[in-house]
Amino acid sequence: MRALEGARQAGHRLAWYVHGLVGQDAYDKYVAHMRATHPDDPRPVMTERAFWRDRSDRQDANPQGRCC
């Protein structure tokens, strides 16, 4: 039972690392930043869909070194 729990935790840590590596946690970081830094901002936090669209548009307008 202890080995199974250790394997589950290792899998969780690996998934967390990979999500951070490929940027899948960017929206969560954006929301946390907006709530912590701009709590009185009257503009609502972007939806996840709007966030990814905005991020893609910014990357296309300002290309930087990326693999693809």
Side-chain angles (χ1 to χ4, degrees), residues 28-42:
D28 295 333
K29 288 180 180 179
Y30 158 75
V31 171
H33 166 79
M34 291 300 290
R35 289 186 176 151
T37 311
H38 308 285
D40 298 326
D41 193 337

Side-chain angles (χ1 to χ4, degrees), residues 11 15 21 23 33 35 38 42 49 53 60:
L21 190 65
H33 166 79
R35 289 186 176 151
H38 308 285
R49 183 177 180 155
R53 182 176 292 141
D60 288 343

Side-chain angles (χ1 to χ4, degrees), residues 2-63:
R2 184 178 263 175
L4 184 61
E5 180 64 22
R8 188 189 67 75
Q9 286 180 354
H12 179 73
R13 288 184 191 128
L14 179 62
W16 173 84
Y17 175 75
V18 171
H19 286 181
L21 190 65
V22 297
Q24 287 183 328
D25 62 346
Y27 179 71
D28 295 333
K29 288 180 180 179
Y30 158 75
V31 171
H33 166 79
M34 291 300 290
R35 289 186 176 151
T37 311
H38 308 285
D40 298 326
D41 193 337
R43 296 173 295 166
V45 173
M46 282 190 275
T47 64
E48 188 168 4
R49 183 177 180 155
F51 170 81
W52 288 113
R53 182 176 292 141
D54 179 66
R55 180 177 165 139
S56 177
D57 290 347
R58 281 186 285 117
Q59 287 177 338
D60 288 343
N62 303 303

